Amino acid sequence: MAVTQETVQTVQEVEKYKYGFVTDIDTDTAPKGLNEDIIRFISAKKEEPQWLLDWRLKAYEHWLTMEEPDWAKVGYPPIDYQDAYYYSAPKSAEEGPESLDDVDPELLATYEKLGIPLHEQEVLAGVKNVAVDAVFDSVSVATTFKETLAAHGVIFCSISEAVKDHPELVREYLGSVVPYSDNFFATLNCAVFTDGSFVYIPKGVRCPMELSTYFRINAANTGQFERTLIIADEGSYVSYLEGCTAPMRDENQLHAAVVELVAHKDAEIKYSTVQNWYPGDENGVGGIYNFVTKRGACRGDDSKISWTQVETGSAITWKYPSCILQGDRSVGEFYSIAITNNFQQADTGTKMIHLGKDTRSRIISKGISAGKSQATYRGLVKMMPNASDARNYSQCDSLLIGSECGAHTVPYIESRNRSAQVEHEATTSKISDDQLFYCRQRGIGEEEAVALIVNGFCREVLQELPMEFAVEAQKLVGISLEGSVG
Amino acid sequence: MLEIKNLHASVDGKTILKGLDLAMGPGEVHAIMGPNGSGKSTLSYVIAGRDGYEVTEGSILFNGRDLMEMEPDERAGEGLFLAFQYPVEIPGVSTMNFLKTSLNAIRAYRGEDELDAMDFLKFVREQTATLNITDELLKRAVNVGFSGGEKKRNEVLQMAVLRPSLAVLDETDSGLDVDALKIVGEGVTSLRSPERSMLVITHYQRLLDYVVPDRVHVLADGKIVASGDAGLARELEEKGYAEFSKAAA
Ligand SMILES: Nc1ncnc2c1ncn2[C@@H]1O[C@H](COP(=O)(O)OP(=O)(O)OP(=O)(O)O)[C@@H](O)[C@H]1O
Ligand SMILES: [Mg+2]
């Protein structure tokens, strides 16, 4: 069993980022660096079948031939991929807890501190109807409500477990939306991914509760490469939320996740993200590099995938949740709030690829920049030759706070079908002195006034979040902008 | 309760108030009238503490405390309210939420607990009934797409909810039709109390028919150039400002 010590609240006084504590826990870590042996080590640790190891190695080989992309409007010193650990797991979780009672109390305490309930009875007593998969560094430490979900035929577990218990599903769908050769960071993820969540909703089932995963990076110098796979079979529905936090450290840490969604005929997946990785300090030191590939395939007719994201953390965010609208009349949505403060950089947006007839997509992006930060919306809407009568509507609004930040909107539109229609609107505004003064005259303090105005600016997106999380997201909007005025 | 002495204030380097004196006791209603551009709104902004409105000379005491020392939100917490001549739009923030946020901010300033949602709703409903404000309006974003009259009624609603000890009403009667004027006039009158002073900025006698002032002042070229009782307002409406403006020059 792990030697657990008091969790050290190293940074309580360092205002804003209240998730910046480190959990002092015994970990099992792979040697530093990246090579075939490390990949074999990870695969062996997870007792993976040969086909998965082969797939990882194939990805690694391909990755060696690739170059890091540099087209995004983000700047950072070169990453030394050999100077990081690719596997770190709390020792107590290594064998995999049988039930919540087996989970290291230290880990439970960590999640409690993060406001994530892992005790089912507490969840049941509260207002939230949420099942949680908690991923700590490289492994999933607990998944709640498994039995309740199983009664509906819903599979919700870590991807490592899914590899063992549902190999046929994993083998069929893994890499089917984001192929191993997709892009530099996704390919790296294929080679070294450690854990993540797996969801399967059977035909005709409406998932009875919100599913969520909380990702936590704890170990120093460790990359986190999680892999999430969600499959909604015909006529099913699921709403899934991921939340992310990390301790405050001076070094930058790499997070390169891949998320794949598959929606079959008449199925709907609602995927929400509240990303609050450590953003670095007010001088731009430290923070997470968040290089993520998220993509959903609307495979069947009349299917729907909706991405909602609230991105407030990370030193750098590079992320374009996308929809491939294959099925006729399928619908893709992207609702985004990206907040950057101090020296944060965010290059985020979406891709909507219309393949089927009468497909619809809707993009609502709200970018808020403060301090010396830079935020870019980068979006692609592509109408393929068979996408007759397809429609897209995009609206990108930027709000600037102060005069040292920047907001950029880069919409790419490609239409190869004359009957398809694409509509794009963009605005850039500032919080006006009039608005601030009006609020303050009504007794509202300056920071609260900014939070109120920004929340109003983001309303269209916030209202897309599951109710359980909307309130927290609103608070987060306020917290992320602390110190941005006055 | 409000004591302004020799107030000089400038905006963007331009001097607008040039030695203004004004004293109001608790529960008193004073009216300020004066030509366009004479500095009435400027006075209201200086009292409320707007950035960029620089006091170069003089003082303002509010209940014996130096207002200049306080941030705008602190002044509101102390019981100061300004009904804006041009109420500001806040997209995406519902009027209800705005009311609640401001009331709770002021309660917090005074060390009082937040009102719970039910009590708050009940309290707001009582105020909206007299002001003829619908629930539909409360759900809409603050002042966004409101008609001129709706904006002004919304200002009076906020005053009714926040219960200030000093309310400065900057042309709250402008742009109202007769019915709305009646609603606003009666609304403001119903808020008159021995604990609440009001400084009513207006161009017309008609609001003062509802809210009969204790004193009327004429502001011209940044100074109070004449003061009198309620009769002065009627006189002004007949004769215009010409002779007072001359007096100021
Ligand atoms: N930012 C500014 N820069 C320069 N001059 C300003 C500024 N703001 C106001 N002023 C000027 O100050 C003077 C007084 O303006 P104020 O709004 O106080 O007048 P008012 O008495 O309220 O007029 P009205 O009856 O039209 O509302 C005007 O001449 C106006 O142009
Ligand atoms: Mg005015």
Side-chain angles (χ1 to χ4, degrees):
Chain A
M1 266 287 119
V3 187
T4 51
Q5 295 176 10
E6 278 267 275
T7 299
V8 260
Q9 182 92 40
T10 41
V11 284
Q12 213 158 27
E13 69 289 350
V14 193
E15 74 300 278
K16 297 154 228 169
Y17 195 73
K18 68 169 174 168
Y19 307 111
F21 61 87
V22 178
T23 305
D24 190 0
I25 200 163
D26 228 16
T27 54
D28 193 13
T29 307
K32 219 179 211 180
L34 181 56
N35 52 53
E36 274 196 30
D37 289 342
I38 293 290
I39 293 165
R40 287 178 196 280
F41 173 91
I42 294 170
S43 190
K45 273 274 170 208
K46 299 192 162 292
E47 298 165 27
E48 287 177 354
Q50 187 63 38
W51 66 264
L52 191 49
L53 174 61
D54 292 344
W55 190 69
R56 286 177 181 277
L57 291 172
K58 185 168 63 174
Y60 178 65
E61 221 169 279
H62 186 74
W63 183 72
L64 292 173
T65 69
M66 299 172 97
E67 297 216 1
E68 205 169 317
D70 60 0
W71 44 262
K73 198 175 162 42
V74 294
Y76 54 93
I79 299 171
D80 182 353
Y81 292 91
Q82 296 305 336
D83 190 33
Y85 295 99
Y86 288 84
Y87 183 84
S88 169
K91 268 197 179 143
S92 55
E94 276 260 284
E95 301 85 41
E98 284 300 303
S99 78
L100 277 176
D101 302 332
D102 299 337
V103 175
D104 191 324
E106 191 63 22
L107 286 174
L108 288 179
T110 300
Y111 282 92
E112 214 154 87
K113 208 159 173 181
L114 296 170
I116 301 152
L118 290 183
H119 294 289
E120 293 187 7
Q121 57 278 26
E122 285 171 18
V123 180
L124 288 171
V127 282
K128 289 189 181 174
N129 186 25
V130 183
V132 178
D133 182 23
V135 176
F136 195 84
D137 288 337
S138 301
V139 294
S140 166
V141 292
T143 308
T144 61
F145 289 105
K146 272 188 174 167
E147 286 81 28
T148 318
L149 292 167
H152 290 82
V154 172
I155 304 170
F156 179 41
C157 62
S158 71
I159 197 136
S160 313
E161 280 173 89
V163 168
K164 287 194 185 111
D165 301 342
H166 310 281
E168 65 305 332
L169 284 172
V170 177
R171 201 168 178 175
E172 182 179 350
Y173 289 101
L174 188 73
S176 75
V177 187
V178 179
Y180 77 90
S181 55
D182 193 80
N183 71 72
F184 186 83
F185 298 111
T187 301
L188 177 61
N189 175 288
C190 293
V192 301
F193 78 87
T194 42
D195 221 333
S197 297
F198 176 84
V199 176
Y200 174 79
I201 316 289
K203 276 185 191 164
V205 170
R206 201 181 158 84
C207 187
M209 51 176 55
E210 299 280 338
L211 303 184
S212 73
T213 301
Y214 276 88
F215 295 105
R216 169 87 182 154
I217 297 180
N218 188 64
N221 286 320
T222 306
Q224 183 155 342
F225 303 92
E226 78 283 334
R227 184 105 200 169
T228 295
L229 178 57
I230 300 177
I231 303 140
D233 217 328
E234 288 183 15
S236 68
Y237 169 85
V238 62
S239 169
Y240 176 95
L241 181 125
E242 61 168 357
C244 328
T245 60
M248 303 168 79
R249 296 185 190 284
D250 287 346
E251 318 85 50
N252 296 103
Q253 279 178 286
L254 177 63
H255 171 255
V258 172
V259 175
E260 297 179 278
L261 312 182
V262 179
H264 288 288
K265 191 168 177 297
D266 292 317
E268 179 176 349
I269 302 175
K270 188 172 166 56
Y271 191 107
S272 313
T273 303
V274 176
Q275 185 266 108
N276 186 24
W277 296 120
Y278 178 52
D281 68 11
E282 65 279 3
N283 299 313
V285 176
I288 300 290
Y289 291 165
N290 188 34
F291 300 148
V292 170
T293 304
K294 290 184 168 172
R295 197 173 302 154
C298 283
R299 293 244 164 103
D301 292 348
D302 301 290
S303 57
K304 178 174 176 184
I305 289 180
S306 175
W307 298 101
T308 304
Q309 61 173 25
V310 179
E311 302 281 325
T312 63
S314 295
I316 302 178
T317 295
W318 179 99
K319 179 181 170 189
Y320 316 90
S322 307
C323 295
I324 301 169
L325 304 170
Q326 283 167 280
D328 290 346
R329 296 173 303 281
S330 60
V331 177
E333 293 176 337
F334 175 72
Y335 297 98
S336 171
I337 297 170
I339 300 182
T340 52
N341 196 357
N342 298 318
F343 287 87
Q344 280 177 277
Q345 309 175 58
D347 194 303
T348 184
T350 185
K351 287 187 241 174
M352 294 289 175
I353 315 294
H354 292 251
L355 296 165
K357 295 184 191 50
D358 289 309
T359 43
R360 299 273 178 279
S361 65
R362 185 176 163 83
I363 299 170
I364 307 286
S365 161
K366 304 278 179 177
I368 299 103
S369 339
K372 295 184 162 63
S373 70
Q374 294 290 331
T376 301
Y377 167 81
R378 190 183 302 276
L380 168 69
V381 176
K382 202 167 180 172
M383 302 296 190
M384 300 303 276
N386 288 332
S388 37
D389 296 310
R391 299 270 181 283
N392 160 266
Y393 173 76
S394 304
Q395 185 189 323
C396 301
D397 299 321
S398 307
L399 186 69
L400 302 173
I401 301 174
S403 53
E404 291 179 280
C405 53
H408 319 271
T409 301
V410 192
Y412 302 93
I413 296 167
E414 253 181 82
S415 186
R416 302 204 215 146
N417 186 306
R418 282 166 164 271
S419 66
Q421 286 180 23
V422 178
E423 204 180 325
H424 179 89
E425 286 175 25
T427 65
T428 301
S429 52
K430 285 194 152 208
I431 289 192
S432 75
D433 293 344
D434 282 344
Q435 288 174 330
L436 269 181
F437 176 60
Y438 192 63
C439 292
R440 296 189 71 190
Q441 206 306 298
R442 298 306 187 242
I444 303 167
E446 192 164 29
E447 291 201 328
E448 198 183 351
V450 170
L452 185 75
I453 295 165
V454 173
N455 269 306
F457 173 76
C458 299
R459 202 185 64 98
E460 282 166 282
V461 175
L462 287 171
Q463 71 190 12
E464 293 297 324
L465 282 175
M467 252 230 298
E468 284 91 340
F469 301 101
V471 177
E472 278 161 53
Q474 279 182 33
K475 283 191 199 136
L476 191 56
V477 166
I479 292 166
S480 330
L481 289 169
E482 270 171 24
S484 64
V485 286
Chain B
M1 82 114 28
L2 181 71
E3 205 177 344
I4 302 177
K5 279 197 182 137
N6 191 31
L7 184 67
H8 289 69
S10 60
V11 194
D12 285 341
K14 182 182 166 193
T15 304
I16 295 168
L17 299 182
K18 302 166 184 171
L20 184 142
D21 295 285
L22 183 71
M24 287 173 73
E28 287 180 8
V29 173
H30 289 213
I32 291 195
M33 304 180 86
N36 294 135
S38 56
K40 303 183 296 297
S41 294
T42 302
L43 173 63
S44 74
Y45 287 151
V46 170
I47 294 174
R50 182 166 192 155
D51 271 354
Y53 286 73
E54 204 192 335
V55 174
T56 49
E57 221 184 308
S59 65
I60 309 179
L61 294 184
F62 179 47
N63 291 327
R65 295 190 53 184
D66 183 0
L67 266 192
M68 297 306 129
E69 300 281 295
M70 289 182 247
E71 292 293 318
D73 39 303
E74 292 172 327
R75 298 182 197 202
E78 291 292 328
L80 176 73
F81 179 87
L82 168 60
F84 284 59
Q85 181 175 2
Y86 304 108
V88 180
E89 298 184 0
I90 309 180
V93 177
S94 78
T95 302
M96 196 64 157
N97 182 22
F98 185 69
L99 279 173
K100 195 166 155 193
T101 307
S102 56
L103 180 63
N104 282 331
I106 285 174
R107 289 180 69 94
Y109 180 86
R110 296 178 184 161
E112 296 164 6
D113 287 340
E114 289 196 354
L115 271 193
D116 83 76
M118 288 312 288
D119 290 347
F120 174 74
L121 199 64
K122 194 162 157 264
F123 176 55
V124 170
R125 288 258 162 78
E126 286 163 15
Q127 319 305 318
T128 50
T130 44
L131 289 167
N132 200 13
I133 287 174
T134 59
D135 280 6
E136 191 263 337
L137 203 77
L138 291 176
K139 281 189 198 135
R140 281 165 56 186
V142 180
N143 294 321
V144 177
F146 284 24
S147 73
E150 285 167 341
K151 284 183 181 169
K152 295 298 168 91
R153 273 186 284 145
N154 188 24
E155 293 295 291
V156 180
L157 171 64
Q158 293 176 51
M159 169 170 153
V161 167
L162 300 179
R163 315 242 133 205
S165 56
L166 171 64
V168 179
L169 306 178
D170 192 358
E171 296 199 26
T172 304
D173 56 336
S174 293
L176 297 182
D177 64 33
V178 261
D179 296 335
L181 182 70
K182 184 165 185 284
I183 292 167
V184 165
E186 287 173 352
V188 172
T189 305
S190 73
L191 291 168
R192 195 166 178 172
S193 90
E195 297 85 47
R196 182 168 302 120
S197 314
M198 296 189 197
L199 187 59
V200 181
I201 297 170
T202 182
H203 286 294
Y204 309 105
Q205 171 59 35
R206 54 187 202 177
L207 179 65
L208 303 179
D209 288 340
Y210 292 96
V211 197
V212 181
D214 298 304
R215 298 287 291 166
V216 175
H217 310 278
V218 179
L219 178 60
D221 195 25
K223 279 196 280 251
I224 303 289
V225 292
S227 296
D229 61 14
L232 179 59
R234 276 188 291 277
E235 199 182 317
L236 276 168
E237 195 148 74
E238 277 164 36
K239 297 188 186 155
Y241 297 116
E243 66 187 81
F244 297 104
S245 298
K246 254 180 266 149

